[in-house]
């Protein structure tokens, strides 16, 4: 019980420490309920309760054993007593003078009635003693157990109350300090935008902590489209930001979260590692045609594995360009940038050729990080590209111009998310 209580004591400062370190970004979910069939935002596993029983319990056991032996002996005695016959009966009735003769059968074979009487009285005494001892032990035991349980319960109640109080305080101070988007809910370190999603949330910048060891960072959340809860990884709007960048730039991310940006491969890795994610790609061309591609599986490995992409489970209207066919399949491809060639093209760097960082095969059926053209263009196909766009197959005819895109957005959300 001691170590269990120690753990309960350690719980409070540790939790508060995490919240304090994160400032307004970190929230604890104290009153939210788990989603139907979904996971709870935070779970706390307590070790099984071990109660140290008092050592008197052992005594009780010993006494019980002794009592059993005593009973057996008493039974034996009683049997042999009955065998003594009338003389024994008489003697029991108080005839002290009556002593069995030296030639008596019973006198020779068993103990004398007087001896037995003495023994019986000793035994009944010790039986009484044992009984009262057991009674008092039982009482003490109940008292002790009750005491322990009450202690533990009171301790836990007080801990929980203090924790809730601390949470509320923190949450209130956060709501007043942070932007209007601050949540009134008590969330523990949201891992991605879906953890913020309560009715009425607006699109905007939120802080997330996919892995506490790797800190907290800001992301753009789409809380309004298709049930909300989307963490945006990439956005193209106007061509104000160049995507012709180095490995290091793609690693850390670049651009402006309120405009065009790449969130960064390290962050994308952390987000997709924290939960099973689905990817949604939104595309719109300059004719106002809007299509989407959704992938049930989306994971980006870490830098050691060159940010290898795992993608699959397509549905949507834009076509499955990420897994176009056997020759052009972006699944399980490493990330390539103009200064780091990890692609499948043997005699050149697809990233340098198409001026972007992407999970190139040899080379591509899709490249959402291509150059932003605000009108159809000619020459090298280094613009934003989605190979299954509705009129891509007749791209060259009759004008020889290439398709350009007005807006592109890549966003992810936990697979088990329910709006
Ligand atoms: C809870 O907080 C009160 C004061 O706010 C303090 O007296 C009490 O010891 C705390 N309980 C625990 C278990 O930390
Ligand atoms: C991309 O950057 C490289 C190196 O800075 C430069 O040589 C190349 O012209 C750029 N490509 C485009 C399309 O801007
Ligand atoms: C996350 O933190 C761990 C431990 O500090 C570190 O080894 C790892 O490289 C970090 N990962 C990223 C993507 O920053
Ligand atoms: C693709 O279709 C749009 C209409 O959705 C049209 O305006 C555009 O010119 C077409 N692009 C090409 C390259 O044929």
């Amino acid at each position: 019980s001691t170590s269990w209580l120690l753990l309960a004591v350690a719980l409070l400062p540790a939790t508060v420490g995490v919240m304090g370190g994160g400032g307004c970004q970190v929230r604890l979910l104290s009153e939210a309920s788990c989603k139907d069939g979904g996971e709870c935002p935070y779970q706390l596993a307590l070790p099984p309760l071990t109660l140290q029983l008092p050592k008197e319990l052992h005594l009780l056991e010993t006494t019980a054993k002794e009592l059993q032996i005593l009973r057996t002996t008493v039974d034996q005695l009683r049997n042999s007593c009955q065998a003594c016959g009338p003389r024994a009966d008489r003697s029991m009735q108080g005839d002290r003078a009556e002593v069995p003769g030296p030639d008596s059968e019973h006198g020779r074979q068993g103990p004398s009635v007087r001896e037995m009487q003495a023994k019986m009285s000793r035994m009944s005494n010790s039986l009484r003693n044992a009984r009262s001892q057991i009674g008092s032990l039982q009482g003490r035991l109940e008292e002790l157990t009750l005491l322990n349980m009450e202690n533990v319960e009171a301790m836990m109640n007080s801990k929980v109350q203090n924790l809730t109080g601390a949470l509320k305080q923190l949450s209130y101070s956060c709501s007043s300090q942070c932007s209007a988007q601050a949540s009134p809910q008590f969330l523990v370190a949201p891992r991605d935008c879906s953890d913020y999603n309560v009715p009425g949330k607006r699109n905007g910048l939120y802080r997330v902590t996919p892995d506490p060891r790797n800190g907290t960072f800001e992301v753009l959340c789409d809380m309004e489209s298709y049930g909300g809860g989307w963490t945006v990884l990439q956005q193209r709007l106007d061509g104000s930001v160049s995507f012709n960048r180095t490995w290091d730039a793609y690693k850390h991310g670049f651009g402006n979260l309120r405009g065009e940006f790449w969130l960064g491969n390290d962050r994308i890795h952390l987000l997709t590692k924290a939960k099973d994610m689905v990817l949604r790609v939104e595309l719109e061309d300059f004719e106002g045609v809007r299509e989407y591609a959704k992938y049930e599986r989306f994971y980006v490995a870490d830098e050691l594995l060159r940010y290898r992409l795992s993608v699959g489970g397509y549905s949507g209207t834009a076509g499955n360009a990420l897994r176009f066919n056997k020759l052009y399949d972006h699944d399980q491809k490493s990330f390539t940038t103009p200064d780091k060639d990890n692609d499948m093209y043997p005699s050149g760097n697809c990233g340098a050729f198409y001026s972007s960082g992407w999970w190139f095969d040899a080379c591509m059926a899709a490249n959402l990080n291509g150059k932003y053209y605000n009108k159809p263009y000619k020459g090298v196909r280094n613009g934003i590209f989605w190979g299954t766009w509705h009129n891509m197959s007749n791209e060259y005819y009759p004008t020889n111009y290439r398709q350009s895109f007005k807006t592109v957005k890549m966003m992810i959300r936990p697979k088990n998310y329910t709006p």
Side-chain angles (χ1 to χ4, degrees), residues 4-5 49 147-157:
W4 189 78
L5 289 180
L49 174 63
L147 218 73
N148 274 354
M149 286 319 289
E150 272 168 4
N151 269 349
V152 166
E153 235 178 278
M155 184 77 141
M156 275 324 278
N157 278 345

Side-chain angles (χ1 to χ4, degrees), residues 336-338 340-364 367 382:
T336 287
T337 52
K340 199 154 199 143
D341 185 358
N342 295 318
D343 63 37
M344 306 301 286
Y345 189 66
S347 55
N349 178 338
C350 302
F353 195 66
Y354 294 112
S355 336
S356 82
W358 192 250
W359 299 277
F360 285 107
D361 190 2
C363 284
M364 62 175 190
N367 173 20
N382 62 359

Side-chain angles (χ1 to χ4, degrees), residues 228-278:
W230 297 100
T231 306
V232 184
L233 306 182
Q234 184 253 32
Q235 189 163 249
R236 313 295 299 272
L237 299 169
D238 50 21
S240 59
V241 169
S242 167
F243 276 62
N244 183 15
R245 305 240 184 180
T246 62
W247 181 266
D248 206 50
Y250 272 98
K251 171 185 166 75
H252 297 295
F254 53 81
N256 172 6
L257 287 178
R258 296 187 192 276
E260 296 197 319
F261 67 90
W262 180 255
L263 186 60
N265 288 340
D266 276 346
R267 290 170 176 178
I268 296 175
H269 162 67
L270 290 172
L271 285 164
T272 57
K273 187 183 70 167
K275 295 179 190 170
D276 284 344
M277 293 287 188
V278 304

Side-chain angles (χ1 to χ4, degrees), residues 33-40 416-418:
S33 52
C34 310
K35 287 166 193 133
D36 266 354
E39 60 177 358
C40 306
N416 62 9
Y417 176 88
T418 40

Side-chain angles (χ1 to χ4, degrees), residues 221-404:
C221 294
D222 185 334
M223 301 304 206
E224 293 161 32
S225 311
Y226 321 107
W230 297 100
T231 306
V232 184
L233 306 182
Q234 184 253 32
Q235 189 163 249
R236 313 295 299 272
L237 299 169
D238 50 21
S240 59
V241 169
S242 167
F243 276 62
N244 183 15
R245 305 240 184 180
T246 62
W247 181 266
D248 206 50
Y250 272 98
K251 171 185 166 75
H252 297 295
F254 53 81
N256 172 6
L257 287 178
R258 296 187 192 276
E260 296 197 319
F261 67 90
W262 180 255
L263 186 60
N265 288 340
D266 276 346
R267 290 170 176 178
I268 296 175
H269 162 67
L270 290 172
L271 285 164
T272 57
K273 187 183 70 167
K275 295 179 190 170
D276 284 344
M277 293 287 188
V278 304
L279 168 73
R280 187 176 175 111
V281 176
E282 295 278 328
L283 292 144
E284 183 184 357
D285 66 16
F286 284 96
E287 288 73 44
V289 177
R290 300 179 69 159
E291 311 279 12
Y292 77 95
K294 195 174 166 196
Y295 291 89
E296 284 306 305
R297 179 164 56 82
F298 178 71
Y299 171 73
V300 174
D302 65 10
E303 187 173 18
L304 274 177
L305 294 171
R306 301 177 294 196
Y307 302 119
R308 188 176 61 211
L309 171 71
S310 296
V311 67
Y314 165 84
S315 63
T317 58
N320 187 2
L322 285 179
R323 310 207 56 185
F324 189 69
N325 59 24
K326 269 188 185 157
L327 289 177
Y328 297 100
D329 187 353
H330 294 278
D331 180 45
Q332 301 306 318
K333 298 304 179 294
S334 299
F335 204 80
T336 287
T337 52
D339 63 333
K340 199 154 199 143
D341 185 358
N342 295 318
D343 63 37
M344 306 301 286
Y345 189 66
S347 55
N349 178 338
C350 302
F353 195 66
Y354 294 112
S355 336
S356 82
W358 192 250
W359 299 277
F360 285 107
D361 190 2
C363 284
M364 62 175 190
N367 173 20
L368 299 179
N369 291 342
K371 192 169 152 68
Y372 188 96
Y373 289 99
N374 56 15
K375 55 178 184 288
Y377 65 100
K378 286 186 173 180
V380 177
R381 202 214 305 271
N382 62 359
I384 296 168
F385 178 55
W386 193 259
T388 48
W389 199 247
H390 65 98
N391 59 3
M392 212 51 93
S393 52
N394 58 16
E395 210 180 37
Y396 286 106
Y397 314 102
T399 58
N400 228 19
Y401 278 103
R402 297 187 184 279
Q403 180 71 37
S404 56

